[in-house]
Amino acid sequence: MPGLTETLRERARSHPGRVAYIAGDTEITYGDFDRRADRVAAALAAAGVGSGDRVAILDKNSLEYAEQLFGAPRIGAVQVPVNYRLAPDEVAYIVNDAQAKVFIVGADFVPVLDAIAEKLQHTTHLFVIDGSDDRYDDYAAWIDGAPETPPSESEYVTDTEDVFAQLYSSGTTGLPKGVMLTHDNYFAALTATNDTWNVDDTSVLMVAMPMYHVAGNMLTISAIYNGVPGVIAREPDPTLIARGIERNRVTHIFLVPVLLQFMPLIPDVTACDMSSLRLMLYGASPISEDVLRGAMRMLPDTDFMQVYGLTEVTGAIVTLPAEDHDPDGPAAHRLRSAGLPNPTCTLRIVDPATQEDLPTGQVGEILCRTPQNMKGYWGMPEATAAALSGDNWFRTGDAGYLDEDGYLYIHDRVKDMIISGGENIYPAEVENVLMGHPDISDCAVIGVPDAKWGETPKAIVVLTSEDVTDKDIIGHCRDRLAHFKCPTTVERRDAIPRNPTGKILKRELRAPYWEGQDRQVH
Protein backbone atom coordinates (compact mmCIF):
# COMPACT_ATOMS: atom_id res chain seq x y z
CA MET A 1 0.00 0.00 0.00
CA PRO A 2 2.51 2.66 -1.06
CA GLY A 3 1.55 6.15 -2.10
CA LEU A 4 -0.58 8.80 -0.45
CA THR A 5 -2.66 6.44 1.65
CA GLU A 6 0.55 5.11 3.23
CA THR A 7 1.56 8.74 3.86
CA LEU A 8 -1.57 9.06 5.98
CA ARG A 9 -0.63 5.84 7.81
CA GLU A 10 2.84 7.22 8.58
CA ARG A 11 1.44 10.50 9.89
CA ALA A 12 -0.97 8.58 12.14
CA ARG A 13 1.90 6.51 13.52
CA SER A 14 4.19 9.49 14.18
CA HIS A 15 1.63 11.85 15.75
CA PRO A 16 -1.74 10.11 16.26
CA GLY A 17 -3.08 12.84 18.55
CA ARG A 18 -2.45 15.77 16.22
CA VAL A 19 -5.50 17.30 14.55
CA ALA A 20 -5.85 16.21 10.93
CA TYR A 21 -8.99 18.06 9.87
CA ILE A 22 -11.37 20.62 11.33
CA ALA A 23 -14.86 20.95 9.87
CA GLY A 24 -17.07 23.41 11.73
CA ASP A 25 -17.15 22.29 15.36
CA THR A 26 -15.77 18.83 14.57
CA GLU A 27 -12.12 17.88 14.84
CA ILE A 28 -10.54 14.55 13.97
CA THR A 29 -7.02 13.45 14.87
CA TYR A 30 -4.60 11.70 12.55
CA GLY A 31 -5.03 8.45 14.45
CA ASP A 32 -8.82 8.57 14.24
CA PHE A 33 -8.81 9.70 10.61
CA ASP A 34 -6.49 6.83 9.64
CA ARG A 35 -8.84 4.35 11.34
CA ARG A 36 -11.77 6.02 9.60
CA ALA A 37 -10.07 5.53 6.23
CA ASP A 38 -9.72 1.83 7.10
CA ARG A 39 -13.46 1.63 7.78
CA VAL A 40 -14.15 3.31 4.42
CA ALA A 41 -11.94 0.76 2.64
CA ALA A 42 -13.67 -2.15 4.35
CA ALA A 43 -17.14 -0.74 3.65
CA LEU A 44 -16.33 -0.18 -0.03
CA ALA A 45 -14.96 -3.72 -0.35
CA ALA A 46 -18.12 -5.11 1.22
CA ALA A 47 -20.11 -3.13 -1.36
CA GLY A 48 -18.27 -4.93 -4.14
CA VAL A 49 -15.75 -2.20 -4.92
CA GLY A 50 -12.33 -3.45 -5.96
CA SER A 51 -9.07 -2.30 -7.46
CA GLY A 52 -9.60 0.16 -10.31
CA ASP A 53 -13.27 0.77 -9.51
CA ARG A 54 -14.58 4.32 -9.26
CA VAL A 55 -16.49 5.79 -6.31
CA ALA A 56 -18.40 9.00 -7.11
CA ILE A 57 -19.30 11.64 -4.53
CA LEU A 58 -21.59 14.67 -4.83
CA ASP A 59 -21.47 17.02 -1.87
CA LYS A 60 -20.07 20.23 -0.55
CA ASN A 61 -16.79 20.02 1.37
CA SER A 62 -16.95 17.62 4.30
CA LEU A 63 -14.99 15.15 6.41
CA GLU A 64 -16.81 12.37 4.57
CA TYR A 65 -15.37 13.72 1.32
CA ALA A 66 -11.84 13.58 2.76
CA GLU A 67 -12.19 10.11 4.28
CA GLN A 68 -13.43 8.72 0.96
CA LEU A 69 -10.51 10.36 -0.84
CA PHE A 70 -8.00 8.49 1.34
CA GLY A 71 -10.04 5.37 2.10
CA ALA A 72 -10.84 4.30 -1.45
CA PRO A 73 -7.16 3.91 -2.53
CA ARG A 74 -6.59 1.46 0.34
CA ILE A 75 -8.35 -1.12 -1.80
CA GLY A 76 -7.06 0.33 -5.08
CA ALA A 77 -10.30 2.24 -5.81
CA VAL A 78 -10.48 5.82 -7.06
CA GLN A 79 -12.60 8.73 -5.88
CA VAL A 80 -14.53 10.71 -8.52
CA PRO A 81 -15.60 14.10 -7.13
CA VAL A 82 -18.63 15.58 -8.92
CA ASN A 83 -19.25 19.32 -9.30
CA TYR A 84 -22.30 20.08 -7.18
CA ARG A 85 -23.23 23.05 -9.38
CA LEU A 86 -24.00 20.83 -12.35
CA ALA A 87 -27.49 20.08 -13.61
CA PRO A 88 -28.84 16.57 -12.85
CA ASP A 89 -28.20 15.22 -16.36
CA GLU A 90 -24.63 16.55 -16.22
CA VAL A 91 -24.11 14.74 -12.92
CA ALA A 92 -25.50 11.55 -14.43
CA TYR A 93 -23.12 11.87 -17.37
CA ILE A 94 -20.06 11.96 -15.08
CA VAL A 95 -21.22 9.11 -12.80
CA ASN A 96 -21.97 6.97 -15.86
CA ASP A 97 -18.80 7.94 -17.68
CA ALA A 98 -16.73 6.95 -14.64
CA GLN A 99 -18.69 3.68 -14.35
CA ALA A 100 -18.94 4.37 -10.64
CA LYS A 101 -20.14 1.36 -8.61
CA VAL A 102 -20.91 3.49 -5.56
CA PHE A 103 -22.45 6.97 -5.57
CA ILE A 104 -22.35 9.00 -2.32
CA VAL A 105 -24.58 12.07 -2.13
CA GLY A 106 -24.89 14.82 0.47
CA ALA A 107 -28.36 15.42 1.92
CA ASP A 108 -28.58 18.78 0.12
CA PHE A 109 -28.43 16.98 -3.22
CA VAL A 110 -31.02 14.25 -2.74
CA PRO A 111 -33.26 16.03 -5.31
CA VAL A 112 -30.48 15.55 -7.87
CA LEU A 113 -30.24 11.89 -6.93
CA ASP A 114 -34.02 11.53 -7.24
CA ALA A 115 -33.83 12.93 -10.77
CA ILE A 116 -31.09 10.60 -12.00
CA ALA A 117 -31.19 7.41 -9.91
CA GLU A 118 -32.91 5.46 -12.67
CA LYS A 119 -30.41 6.73 -15.25
CA LEU A 120 -27.28 5.42 -13.52
CA GLN A 121 -25.97 2.56 -15.60
CA HIS A 122 -23.18 1.05 -13.48
CA THR A 123 -24.01 2.14 -9.93
CA THR A 124 -25.01 -0.67 -7.55
CA HIS A 125 -25.05 1.23 -4.25
CA LEU A 126 -26.42 4.68 -3.34
CA PHE A 127 -25.63 6.32 0.00
CA VAL A 128 -26.79 9.63 1.47
CA ILE A 129 -24.73 11.63 3.99
CA ASP A 130 -26.75 12.94 6.96
CA GLY A 131 -29.89 11.71 5.29
CA SER A 132 -33.17 10.54 6.78
CA ASP A 133 -34.61 9.27 3.51
CA ASP A 134 -35.67 5.61 3.72
CA ARG A 135 -35.29 5.23 -0.04
CA TYR A 136 -31.51 5.39 0.20
CA ASP A 137 -28.94 3.79 2.49
CA ASP A 138 -27.49 5.95 5.25
CA TYR A 139 -23.81 6.74 4.83
CA ALA A 140 -22.93 6.90 8.53
CA ALA A 141 -24.53 3.54 9.31
CA TRP A 142 -22.69 1.99 6.36
CA ILE A 143 -19.24 3.24 7.42
CA ASP A 144 -19.75 2.85 11.17
CA GLY A 145 -20.83 -0.75 10.64
CA ALA A 146 -17.60 -1.66 8.83
CA PRO A 147 -14.54 -3.06 10.66
CA GLU A 148 -11.53 -0.82 11.29
CA THR A 149 -9.33 -3.38 9.59
CA PRO A 150 -9.60 -3.22 5.79
CA PRO A 151 -9.27 -6.32 3.60
CA SER A 152 -5.77 -7.76 3.40
CA GLU A 153 -3.42 -5.29 1.78
CA SER A 154 -1.90 -8.17 -0.17
CA GLU A 155 -5.16 -8.32 -2.16
CA TYR A 156 -4.69 -4.78 -3.39
CA VAL A 157 -1.18 -4.04 -4.59
CA THR A 158 -1.07 -0.32 -5.33
CA ASP A 159 1.73 1.26 -7.30
CA THR A 160 2.49 4.98 -7.18
CA GLU A 161 1.82 5.05 -10.92
CA ASP A 162 -1.78 4.02 -10.22
CA VAL A 163 -4.59 6.57 -10.30
CA PHE A 164 -5.31 8.17 -6.92
CA ALA A 165 -8.21 10.45 -7.95
CA GLN A 166 -10.19 11.17 -11.10
CA LEU A 167 -11.25 14.79 -11.42
CA TYR A 168 -13.44 15.99 -14.26
CA SER A 169 -12.54 18.98 -16.39
CA SER A 170 -14.94 21.93 -16.29
CA GLY A 171 -16.29 21.19 -19.75
CA THR A 172 -16.41 24.85 -20.85
CA THR A 173 -15.51 23.81 -24.41
CA GLY A 174 -17.14 20.36 -24.56
CA LEU A 175 -18.22 17.42 -22.43
CA PRO A 176 -16.24 17.01 -19.18
CA LYS A 177 -13.30 14.61 -19.39
CA GLY A 178 -12.12 12.39 -16.54
CA VAL A 179 -8.59 13.48 -15.65
CA MET A 180 -6.64 10.58 -14.13
CA LEU A 181 -4.12 11.79 -11.56
CA THR A 182 -1.67 9.31 -10.03
CA HIS A 183 0.02 9.15 -6.64
CA ASP A 184 3.23 10.19 -8.43
CA ASN A 185 1.48 13.22 -9.95
CA TYR A 186 0.43 14.39 -6.51
CA PHE A 187 3.83 13.74 -4.95
CA ALA A 188 5.47 15.78 -7.72
CA ALA A 189 3.03 18.66 -7.24
CA LEU A 190 3.40 18.66 -3.47
CA THR A 191 7.18 18.53 -3.63
CA ALA A 192 7.30 21.37 -6.20
CA THR A 193 5.07 23.71 -4.22
CA ASN A 194 5.96 22.97 -0.61
CA ASP A 195 9.23 24.91 -0.49
CA THR A 196 7.75 27.80 -2.47
CA TRP A 197 4.77 28.04 -0.14
CA ASN A 198 6.90 27.70 3.02
CA VAL A 199 4.69 25.04 4.59
CA ASP A 200 6.09 23.80 7.92
CA ASP A 201 4.96 22.07 11.12
CA THR A 202 3.24 25.24 12.34
CA SER A 203 1.12 25.70 9.20
CA VAL A 204 -2.67 25.44 9.15
CA LEU A 205 -4.13 24.98 5.67
CA MET A 206 -7.66 25.94 4.70
CA VAL A 207 -9.62 23.98 2.09
CA ALA A 208 -11.83 26.83 0.88
CA MET A 209 -12.32 25.80 -2.74
CA PRO A 210 -14.70 22.92 -3.52
CA MET A 211 -13.06 19.51 -3.18
CA TYR A 212 -14.14 18.64 -6.73
CA HIS A 213 -11.83 21.45 -7.93
CA VAL A 214 -8.13 20.70 -8.25
CA ALA A 215 -7.26 23.48 -5.77
CA GLY A 216 -9.56 22.13 -3.06
CA ASN A 217 -8.48 18.60 -3.86
CA MET A 218 -4.77 19.47 -3.61
CA LEU A 219 -5.06 21.36 -0.31
CA THR A 220 -7.05 18.48 1.21
CA ILE A 221 -4.18 16.15 0.31
CA SER A 222 -1.49 18.70 1.23
CA ALA A 223 -2.66 18.78 4.84
CA ILE A 224 -2.07 15.03 5.19
CA TYR A 225 1.17 15.12 3.19
CA ASN A 226 2.56 17.76 5.55
CA GLY A 227 1.06 16.30 8.72
CA VAL A 228 -0.67 19.59 9.62
CA PRO A 229 -4.31 20.55 10.27
CA GLY A 230 -6.61 21.14 7.31
CA VAL A 231 -9.56 23.44 7.96
CA ILE A 232 -12.49 22.43 5.76
CA ALA A 233 -14.80 25.26 4.71
CA ARG A 234 -18.16 23.79 3.76
CA GLU A 235 -18.42 26.10 0.73
CA PRO A 236 -16.56 29.12 -0.70
CA ASP A 237 -18.55 31.74 1.20
CA PRO A 238 -16.49 34.89 2.02
CA THR A 239 -17.84 35.31 5.56
CA LEU A 240 -17.54 31.59 6.34
CA ILE A 241 -13.95 31.65 5.10
CA ALA A 242 -12.98 34.75 7.09
CA ARG A 243 -14.47 33.40 10.31
CA GLY A 244 -12.72 30.08 9.76
CA ILE A 245 -9.39 31.85 9.32
CA GLU A 246 -9.90 33.81 12.55
CA ARG A 247 -11.14 30.86 14.60
CA ASN A 248 -8.48 28.36 13.53
CA ARG A 249 -5.54 30.73 12.92
CA VAL A 250 -5.21 29.59 9.31
CA THR A 251 -1.83 30.32 7.71
CA HIS A 252 -2.28 29.21 4.07
CA ILE A 253 -5.25 29.49 1.72
CA PHE A 254 -6.10 29.47 -1.98
CA LEU A 255 -8.91 31.64 -3.34
CA VAL A 256 -10.16 32.60 -6.78
CA PRO A 257 -10.16 36.30 -7.73
CA VAL A 258 -13.95 36.65 -7.55
CA LEU A 259 -13.77 35.93 -3.80
CA LEU A 260 -10.91 38.39 -3.34
CA GLN A 261 -13.03 40.95 -5.16
CA PHE A 262 -15.94 40.73 -2.72
CA MET A 263 -14.24 40.04 0.61
CA PRO A 264 -13.00 43.63 1.23
CA LEU A 265 -16.55 44.90 0.59
CA ILE A 266 -18.23 42.75 3.28
CA PRO A 267 -18.15 44.26 6.81
CA ASP A 268 -18.48 40.83 8.48
CA VAL A 269 -15.33 39.78 6.61
CA THR A 270 -13.20 42.83 7.33
CA ALA A 271 -14.21 42.68 11.02
CA CYS A 272 -12.47 39.29 11.31
CA ASP A 273 -8.90 38.95 12.55
CA MET A 274 -7.09 37.34 9.62
CA SER A 275 -3.59 38.32 10.75
CA SER A 276 -2.56 34.66 11.04
CA LEU A 277 -2.52 34.34 7.23
CA ARG A 278 1.03 34.02 5.97
CA LEU A 279 0.21 33.21 2.35
CA MET A 280 -2.69 33.99 0.06
CA LEU A 281 -2.55 31.89 -3.09
CA TYR A 282 -4.83 32.94 -5.91
CA GLY A 283 -5.49 31.90 -9.49
CA ALA A 284 -7.82 29.91 -11.79
CA SER A 285 -9.03 33.08 -13.54
CA PRO A 286 -7.65 36.56 -14.35
CA ILE A 287 -7.39 39.20 -11.62
CA SER A 288 -7.48 42.95 -12.10
CA GLU A 289 -4.96 45.23 -10.44
CA ASP A 290 -7.76 46.97 -8.51
CA VAL A 291 -8.96 43.68 -7.04
CA LEU A 292 -5.41 42.69 -6.09
CA ARG A 293 -4.74 46.06 -4.47
CA GLY A 294 -7.96 45.80 -2.46
CA ALA A 295 -7.09 42.31 -1.22
CA MET A 296 -3.57 43.38 -0.29
CA ARG A 297 -4.92 46.35 1.67
CA MET A 298 -7.26 43.98 3.52
CA LEU A 299 -4.34 41.65 4.37
CA PRO A 300 -1.31 43.95 4.71
CA ASP A 301 0.88 41.37 6.49
CA THR A 302 0.13 38.49 4.15
CA ASP A 303 2.28 37.37 1.23
CA PHE A 304 0.44 36.97 -2.08
CA MET A 305 1.36 34.46 -4.77
CA GLN A 306 -0.42 33.88 -8.05
CA VAL A 307 -0.45 30.32 -9.40
CA TYR A 308 -1.26 29.03 -12.85
CA GLY A 309 -2.15 25.46 -13.61
CA LEU A 310 -4.80 23.05 -14.80
CA THR A 311 -6.53 19.94 -13.56
CA GLU A 312 -4.53 17.95 -16.11
CA VAL A 313 -1.23 19.02 -14.50
CA THR A 314 -2.31 18.40 -10.88
CA GLY A 315 -2.69 22.06 -10.04
CA ALA A 316 -0.01 24.74 -10.05
CA ILE A 317 2.94 24.62 -12.45
CA VAL A 318 3.73 28.37 -12.55
CA THR A 319 4.04 30.76 -9.61
CA LEU A 320 4.33 34.54 -9.39
CA PRO A 321 6.52 35.03 -6.28
CA ALA A 322 5.52 37.24 -3.38
CA GLU A 323 8.39 39.63 -4.11
CA ASP A 324 6.82 40.48 -7.47
CA HIS A 325 3.61 41.67 -5.77
CA ASP A 326 4.40 45.38 -5.52
CA PRO A 327 1.93 47.36 -7.64
CA ASP A 328 4.01 50.50 -7.21
CA GLY A 329 7.45 48.91 -7.57
CA PRO A 330 9.87 48.72 -10.50
CA ALA A 331 8.61 45.26 -11.49
CA ALA A 332 4.90 46.17 -11.36
CA HIS A 333 4.52 44.98 -14.97
CA ARG A 334 5.06 41.42 -13.75
CA LEU A 335 1.69 41.51 -11.99
CA ARG A 336 0.22 40.97 -15.44
CA SER A 337 2.16 37.71 -15.70
CA ALA A 338 1.39 34.29 -14.26
CA GLY A 339 4.95 33.99 -12.98
CA LEU A 340 7.83 31.57 -13.39
CA PRO A 341 7.59 27.81 -14.01
CA ASN A 342 8.13 25.53 -11.02
CA PRO A 343 11.58 23.88 -10.87
CA THR A 344 10.32 20.58 -12.31
CA CYS A 345 8.29 22.21 -15.10
CA THR A 346 9.54 23.17 -18.57
CA LEU A 347 7.45 25.42 -20.82
CA ARG A 348 7.34 25.89 -24.59
CA ILE A 349 5.34 28.36 -26.67
CA VAL A 350 4.39 26.90 -30.04
CA ASP A 351 2.32 27.67 -33.09
CA PRO A 352 -1.04 25.94 -32.38
CA ALA A 353 -1.26 24.64 -35.96
CA THR A 354 2.32 23.47 -36.60
CA GLN A 355 3.57 22.91 -33.02
CA GLU A 356 6.78 24.74 -34.00
CA ASP A 357 8.47 26.79 -31.29
CA LEU A 358 7.89 30.54 -31.37
CA PRO A 359 10.36 33.26 -30.40
CA THR A 360 10.37 35.07 -27.05
CA GLY A 361 7.51 37.53 -26.76
CA GLN A 362 5.31 35.95 -29.42
CA VAL A 363 1.92 34.54 -28.44
CA GLY A 364 1.25 30.86 -29.06
CA GLU A 365 -0.03 27.75 -27.35
CA ILE A 366 1.54 26.91 -23.98
CA LEU A 367 3.03 23.41 -23.69
CA CYS A 368 4.44 22.01 -20.46
CA ARG A 369 6.51 19.01 -19.52
CA THR A 370 6.42 18.06 -15.85
CA PRO A 371 6.03 14.94 -13.68
CA GLN A 372 2.71 16.51 -12.68
CA ASN A 373 1.21 15.78 -16.12
CA MET A 374 -1.83 13.51 -15.87
CA LYS A 375 -1.82 9.83 -16.75
CA GLY A 376 -4.51 10.58 -19.32
CA TYR A 377 -8.22 11.05 -19.88
CA TRP A 378 -10.39 8.19 -18.61
CA GLY A 379 -11.61 6.04 -21.48
CA MET A 380 -10.48 8.57 -24.10
CA PRO A 381 -7.23 7.39 -25.72
CA GLU A 382 -7.62 9.67 -28.75
CA ALA A 383 -8.17 12.77 -26.60
CA THR A 384 -5.20 11.75 -24.44
CA ALA A 385 -2.95 11.35 -27.48
CA ALA A 386 -4.07 14.73 -28.82
CA ALA A 387 -3.25 16.47 -25.53
CA LEU A 388 -0.23 14.54 -24.25
CA SER A 389 2.72 13.60 -26.45
CA GLY A 390 4.78 10.45 -26.11
CA ASP A 391 7.62 12.45 -24.56
CA ASN A 392 5.24 14.00 -21.99
CA TRP A 393 4.56 17.44 -23.49
CA PHE A 394 1.04 18.50 -22.51
CA ARG A 395 -0.93 20.90 -24.70
CA THR A 396 -2.61 23.24 -22.23
CA GLY A 397 -4.96 24.81 -24.76
CA ASP A 398 -3.99 28.19 -23.28
CA ALA A 399 -2.38 30.94 -25.32
CA GLY A 400 0.44 33.07 -23.96
CA TYR A 401 4.07 34.08 -24.28
CA LEU A 402 7.33 34.06 -22.34
CA ASP A 403 9.30 37.25 -21.81
CA GLU A 404 13.08 37.50 -21.82
CA ASP A 405 13.20 36.76 -18.07
CA GLY A 406 11.16 33.57 -18.41
CA TYR A 407 7.90 34.95 -17.00
CA LEU A 408 4.75 33.50 -18.52
CA TYR A 409 1.97 35.81 -19.69
CA ILE A 410 -1.44 34.23 -20.33
CA HIS A 411 -3.55 35.66 -23.13
CA ASP A 412 -6.50 33.35 -23.59
CA ARG A 413 -7.73 29.90 -24.44
CA VAL A 414 -6.56 28.88 -27.90
CA LYS A 415 -10.14 27.82 -28.68
CA ASP A 416 -11.39 31.29 -27.71
CA MET A 417 -9.10 32.96 -30.24
CA ILE A 418 -10.97 34.97 -32.88
CA ILE A 419 -9.71 34.81 -36.47
CA SER A 420 -10.93 37.89 -38.35
CA GLY A 421 -9.76 38.39 -41.90
CA GLY A 422 -6.79 36.11 -41.22
CA GLU A 423 -5.72 38.07 -38.12
CA ASN A 424 -5.55 36.33 -34.72
CA ILE A 425 -7.36 38.20 -31.93
CA TYR A 426 -7.13 37.11 -28.31
CA PRO A 427 -10.30 38.18 -26.43
CA ALA A 428 -8.46 38.69 -23.13
CA GLU A 429 -6.47 41.55 -24.64
CA VAL A 430 -9.67 43.30 -25.68
CA GLU A 431 -11.36 42.50 -22.36
CA ASN A 432 -8.49 44.11 -20.46
CA VAL A 433 -9.00 47.31 -22.42
CA LEU A 434 -12.76 47.24 -21.92
CA MET A 435 -12.33 46.83 -18.17
CA GLY A 436 -10.44 50.13 -18.19
CA HIS A 437 -13.66 51.92 -19.18
CA PRO A 438 -15.14 53.66 -16.11
CA ASP A 439 -18.70 52.52 -16.89
CA ILE A 440 -17.94 48.82 -17.49
CA SER A 441 -18.02 46.55 -14.43
CA ASP A 442 -17.64 43.23 -16.27
CA CYS A 443 -17.26 42.08 -19.85
CA ALA A 444 -16.55 39.27 -22.29
CA VAL A 445 -15.45 39.30 -25.91
CA ILE A 446 -16.49 36.59 -28.36
CA GLY A 447 -16.25 36.02 -32.10
CA VAL A 448 -19.51 36.23 -34.05
CA PRO A 449 -20.12 35.38 -37.73
CA ASP A 450 -19.33 38.03 -40.33
CA ALA A 451 -19.91 37.65 -44.08
CA LYS A 452 -16.79 39.62 -44.99
CA TRP A 453 -14.25 38.74 -42.31
CA GLY A 454 -15.42 35.28 -41.27
CA GLU A 455 -15.95 36.50 -37.73
CA THR A 456 -15.52 39.74 -35.81
CA PRO A 457 -15.24 40.58 -32.10
CA LYS A 458 -18.39 41.33 -30.13
CA ALA A 459 -18.24 42.99 -26.71
CA ILE A 460 -20.71 41.76 -24.09
CA VAL A 461 -20.71 44.25 -21.25
CA VAL A 462 -22.20 44.90 -17.82
CA LEU A 463 -22.58 48.65 -17.37
CA THR A 464 -22.80 50.86 -14.31
CA SER A 465 -24.32 53.70 -16.34
CA GLU A 466 -26.99 53.69 -19.03
CA ASP A 467 -25.62 56.90 -20.52
CA VAL A 468 -22.68 55.24 -22.26
CA THR A 469 -23.31 54.38 -25.93
CA ASP A 470 -22.08 51.50 -28.07
CA LYS A 471 -20.09 54.04 -30.04
CA ASP A 472 -18.39 55.21 -26.83
CA ILE A 473 -17.38 51.64 -25.95
CA ILE A 474 -16.04 50.86 -29.43
CA GLY A 475 -14.24 54.20 -29.52
CA HIS A 476 -12.61 53.47 -26.16
CA CYS A 477 -11.11 50.34 -27.71
CA ARG A 478 -10.10 52.05 -30.95
CA ASP A 479 -8.08 54.58 -28.96
CA ARG A 480 -6.06 51.77 -27.41
CA LEU A 481 -5.98 48.82 -29.82
CA ALA A 482 -5.37 48.07 -33.47
CA HIS A 483 -8.72 48.53 -35.19
CA PHE A 484 -8.97 44.90 -36.35
CA LYS A 485 -8.98 43.86 -32.67
CA CYS A 486 -11.82 46.18 -31.69
CA PRO A 487 -15.44 45.11 -31.20
CA THR A 488 -17.72 45.87 -34.10
CA THR A 489 -20.87 45.36 -32.00
CA VAL A 490 -21.86 45.58 -28.34
CA GLU A 491 -24.38 43.62 -26.29
CA ARG A 492 -25.53 44.70 -22.83
CA ARG A 493 -26.24 42.17 -20.08
CA ASP A 494 -27.00 42.16 -16.38
CA ALA A 495 -24.26 39.57 -15.71
CA ILE A 496 -21.56 37.57 -17.49
CA PRO A 497 -22.03 33.80 -17.12
CA ARG A 498 -19.12 32.13 -15.34
CA ASN A 499 -18.29 28.71 -13.97
CA PRO A 500 -17.63 28.24 -10.22
CA THR A 501 -13.97 29.23 -10.57
CA GLY A 502 -14.85 32.49 -12.33
CA LYS A 503 -14.02 31.47 -15.89
CA ILE A 504 -16.30 33.02 -18.50
CA LEU A 505 -18.54 30.51 -20.25
CA LYS A 506 -17.59 31.57 -23.76
CA ARG A 507 -19.30 28.60 -25.39
CA GLU A 508 -22.62 29.61 -23.82
CA LEU A 509 -22.19 33.19 -25.02
CA ARG A 510 -21.26 32.16 -28.58
CA ALA A 511 -23.96 29.54 -29.09
CA PRO A 512 -26.87 31.83 -30.12
CA TYR A 513 -24.76 33.58 -32.75
CA TRP A 514 -23.38 30.42 -34.39
CA GLU A 515 -26.64 28.49 -34.40
CA GLY A 516 -27.50 27.40 -37.94
CA GLN A 517 -24.10 28.32 -39.36
CA ASP A 518 -22.55 25.93 -41.87
CA ARG A 519 -19.34 25.83 -39.84
CA GLN A 520 -18.16 26.78 -36.41
CA VAL A 521 -14.93 28.75 -36.44
CA HIS A 522 -14.03 27.20 -33.09
Side-chain angles (χ1 to χ4, degrees):
M1 189 179 58
L4 288 163
T5 193
E6 177 60 21
T7 300
L8 167 60
R9 185 80 85 209
E10 291 172 356
R11 301 294 179 262
R13 289 182 187 132
S14 60
H15 40 69
R18 182 180 294 180
V19 172
Y21 290 112
I22 302 167
D25 295 327
T26 302
E27 294 184 356
I28 188 167
T29 64
Y30 272 89
D32 287 342
F33 186 71
D34 182 56
R35 287 187 287 273
R36 190 72 178 173
D38 281 342
R39 284 191 186 274
V40 166
L44 287 171
V49 175
S51 184
D53 288 335
R54 269 54 179 170
V55 178
I57 182 167
L58 174 71
D59 194 16
K60 295 180 180 179
N61 292 356
S62 63
L63 284 171
E64 291 84 359
Y65 222 128
E67 69 188 23
Q68 284 289 329
L69 179 63
F70 281 92
R74 291 204 163 156
I75 56 168
V78 177
Q79 187 191 77
V80 176
V82 183
N83 183 341
Y84 59 74
R85 295 176 183 264
L86 297 178
D89 283 348
E90 294 174 308
V91 172
Y93 171 82
I94 289 176
V95 178
N96 286 333
D97 182 73
Q99 301 176 24
K101 283 190 173 182
V102 169
F103 187 26
I104 300 162
V105 178
D108 294 345
F109 303 101
V110 167
V112 176
L113 182 57
D114 289 342
I116 66 173
E118 298 300 320
K119 301 178 182 179
L120 301 180
Q121 301 165 0
H122 308 278
T123 305
T124 57
H125 291 79
L126 301 171
F127 297 98
V128 174
I129 300 170
D130 294 331
S132 56
D133 195 317
D134 293 338
R135 294 172 301 161
Y136 305 112
D137 290 331
D138 179 64
Y139 176 87
W142 174 49
I143 301 300
D144 291 344
E148 282 186 359
T149 304
S152 172
E153 293 173 13
S154 62
E155 297 178 29
Y156 302 97
V157 180
T158 303
D159 190 275
T160 55
E161 294 181 358
D162 289 341
V163 178
F164 178 76
Q166 183 167 308
L167 279 60
Y168 273 74
S169 62
S170 59
T172 56
T173 57
L175 289 171
K177 296 186 285 290
V179 179
M180 297 184 290
L181 301 177
T182 68
H183 295 259
D184 283 337
N185 290 151
Y186 282 103
F187 281 132
L190 291 161
T191 301
T193 56
N194 248 30
D195 290 342
T196 306
W197 298 356
N198 295 316
V199 179
D200 60 28
D201 287 345
T202 65
S203 299
V204 179
L205 311 183
M206 175 171 270
V207 184
M209 294 302 295
M211 289 179 173
Y212 65 74
H213 186 273
V214 69
N217 174 263
M218 271 295 299
L219 279 168
T220 303
I221 296 167
S222 184
I224 298 297
Y225 177 80
N226 289 287
V228 300
V231 179
I232 298 173
R234 176 71 173 156
E235 55 189 314
D237 173 84
T239 304
L240 182 70
I241 290 168
R243 289 173 177 167
I245 293 170
E246 179 180 56
R247 179 180 180 181
N248 300 292
R249 308 307 293 160
V250 171
T251 62
H252 292 65
I253 191 171
F254 173 93
L255 296 178
V256 292
V258 67
L259 288 170
L260 292 177
Q261 179 180 352
F262 289 113
M263 288 180 76
L265 307 178
I266 302 173
D268 285 349
V269 170
T270 56
C272 290
D273 177 8
M274 295 184 282
S275 60
S276 62
L277 269 185
R278 302 176 201 164
L279 180 61
M280 172 66 73
L281 297 156
Y282 66 94
S285 63
I287 189 169
S288 71
E289 186 175 317
D290 285 345
V291 169
L292 183 59
R293 283 179 180 270
M296 293 175 72
R297 283 194 297 269
M298 180 179 68
L299 300 167
D301 300 320
T302 302
D303 284 340
F304 280 70
M305 287 186 187
Q306 181 175 196
V307 292
Y308 162 74
L310 304 91
T311 305
E312 288 90 339
V313 298
T314 326
I317 54 171
V318 173
T319 304
L320 184 67
E323 54 266 29
D324 285 325
H325 282 72
D326 183 358
D328 301 310
H333 62 283
R334 287 182 176 161
L335 286 173
R336 297 193 297 274
S337 78
L340 296 165
N342 293 343
T344 57
C345 176
T346 304
L347 300 178
R348 289 170 57 201
I349 307 297
V350 303
D351 183 298
T354 66
Q355 294 293 286
E356 293 181 358
D357 288 282
L358 296 174
T360 298
Q362 188 166 331
V363 176
E365 184 175 8
I366 303 164
L367 271 59
C368 70
R369 184 160 63 186
T370 166
Q372 296 177 215
N373 284 351
M374 66 175 180
K375 186 171 187 174
Y377 293 117
W378 166 256
M380 302 179 72
E382 291 182 1
T384 299
L388 193 60
S389 70
D391 54 352
N392 201 36
W393 284 103
F394 175 69
R395 297 185 64 171
T396 67
D398 287 331
Y401 70 91
L402 292 167
D403 70 9
E404 58 277 2
D405 296 318
Y407 283 76
L408 176 68
Y409 291 74
I410 310 292
H411 262 236
D412 233 311
R413 292 291 293 169
V414 169
K415 290 183 178 180
D416 289 335
M417 185 177 70
I418 301 165
I419 304 175
S420 183
E423 295 281 2
N424 294 346
I425 303 168
Y426 290 98
E429 184 180 8
V430 188
E431 289 161 358
N432 287 337
V433 169
L434 286 167
M435 287 303 292
H437 192 289
D439 295 317
I440 295 177
S441 62
D442 201 2
C443 71
V445 173
I446 61 171
V448 296
D450 183 87
K452 182 176 182 180
W453 304 110
E455 61 178 333
T456 59
K458 179 182 214 45
I460 300 172
V461 298
V462 178
L463 298 174
T464 58
S465 170
E466 293 299 321
D467 296 333
V468 64
T469 67
D470 293 0
K471 185 177 179 180
D472 293 334
I473 292 169
I474 294 170
H476 174 82
C477 293
R478 283 179 167 253
D479 290 341
R480 294 163 176 82
L481 291 169
H483 286 193
F484 74 86
K485 298 180 181 179
C486 296
T488 56
T489 55
V490 176
E491 177 187 333
R492 298 154 189 254
R493 288 206 179 194
D494 294 330
I496 302 296
R498 298 175 182 270
N499 74 5
T501 63
K503 293 178 181 176
I504 298 171
L505 299 176
K506 294 286 179 78
R507 183 178 58 162
E508 179 178 317
L509 290 173
R510 281 193 294 260
Y513 297 99
W514 290 97
E515 187 176 356
Q517 293 292 315
D518 291 335
R519 67 185 182 92
Q520 300 283 312
V521 174
H522 300 296

